[in-house]
Amino acid sequence: MSEPLKLLAFAGSTRKDSYNQAVLNVVSDAAEAAGAIVDRVSLADFPMPLFDQDLESRDGLPPTTIELKKRMTAADGLLIASPEYNSAFSPLMKNTIDWVSRAETDDEPPLSAYRGKSTLLVAASPGGLGGIRGLYALRSVFQNIGVTVYPSMLAIGSAYQLVDDNGVLTDEKWRQRLASLAKEYVDFAGKLKG
Ligand SMILES: Cc1cc2nc3c(=O)[nH]c(=O)nc-3n(C[C@H](O)[C@H](O)[C@H](O)COP(=O)(O)O)c2cc1C
């Protein structure tokens, strides 16, 4: 029997009451129910300075980057919920992607943590479009760094009406749509992994 699919799940927001984290929780639960092992991380536990190439030359990669790279390398795919900021994705997301893209040693192949992986992208926003424009920007970045992006994405608008005070997405229709998308993605990522 083949090994179970391993996924790393993180949101592009560390906000206490993050809608994206609420949505990611539903996706992660559904991916587990579909048989995947999900490593759930909060980027709050991986603080990294704003990327600066002189800083990198001087100090190398931060320990938080090295640890996140390790967890990403161990995964077959990524579950990501990303907020939309001014029609793109969050600076936290970009900073994390940039640091993790860097090699630790001269003989490490470029983009080693990303190549051969797939990802499922979802978003939530208080606005009407749900953050879909940010997802298209994010999808373009991932495609250019060797990550296969699952064709379907979901962006959930008016999130303030759908997430309760405990950070739980309570809307049954969206929960089902997310769960069904997560299951589709687990099947897809499993086939890609072989
Ligand atoms: C700088 C900034 C820009 C924003 N731009 C957008 C935007 O373009 N589209 C949108 O739907 N929401 C936008 N928002 C609102 C975010 O969707 C909202 O803050 C959301 O709660 C962030 O996700 P989170 O709940 O996971 O932290 C913006 C928020 C900030 C702080």
Side-chain angles (χ1 to χ4, degrees):
M1 236 179 81
S2 59
E3 291 268 301
L5 185 76
K6 291 194 217 112
L7 302 173
L8 180 73
F10 62 93
S13 167
T14 53
R15 197 171 69 82
K16 182 167 56 63
D17 300 317
S18 167
Y19 301 129
N20 284 280
Q21 186 61 57
V23 163
L24 186 66
N25 293 343
V26 177
V27 170
S28 299
D29 290 347
E32 279 178 349
I37 293 172
V38 182
D39 181 12
R40 303 173 191 226
V41 303
S42 165
L43 294 182
D45 296 326
F46 297 86
M48 300 173 200
L50 187 58
F51 184 83
D52 175 318
Q53 219 169 338
D54 289 334
L55 178 71
E56 181 196 34
S57 302
R58 198 188 65 209
D59 297 343
L61 300 191
T64 46
T65 303
I66 294 170
E67 176 59 23
L68 190 62
K69 271 185 82 176
K70 212 187 289 169
R71 307 267 283 264
M72 209 178 274
T73 302
D76 302 304
L78 311 173
L79 299 175
I80 294 179
S82 174
E84 177 177 286
Y85 282 0
N86 295 314
S87 63
F89 48 88
S90 62
L92 173 66
M93 186 62 85
K94 186 64 164 72
N95 198 47
T96 303
I97 291 171
D98 288 346
W99 272 115
V100 170
S101 73
R102 305 298 287 172
E104 216 183 320
T105 56
D106 289 345
D107 58 352
E108 183 182 318
L111 303 168
S112 66
Y114 296 121
R115 292 216 176 271
K117 303 252 182 308
S118 62
T119 187
L120 174 65
L121 304 180
V122 296
S125 157
L129 298 178
I132 193 70
R133 295 171 304 178
L135 291 190
Y136 276 104
L138 190 55
R139 141 170 229 122
S140 159
V141 170
F142 274 127
Q143 284 170 178
N144 288 329
I145 58 176
V147 177
T148 302
V149 182
Y150 189 63
S152 301
M153 306 186 290
L154 275 181
I156 303 178
S158 304
Y160 59 93
Q161 295 176 343
L162 310 172
V163 175
D164 72 12
D165 291 347
N166 299 313
V168 176
L169 179 72
T170 52
D171 185 88
E172 204 41 49
K173 181 180 64 88
W174 277 115
R175 289 184 70 87
Q176 279 174 17
R177 286 185 72 182
L178 287 164
S180 135
L181 180 67
K183 187 179 178 323
E184 271 175 36
Y185 169 68
V186 167
D187 291 345
F188 169 86
K191 284 186 192 130
L192 208 64
K193 179 183 167 238

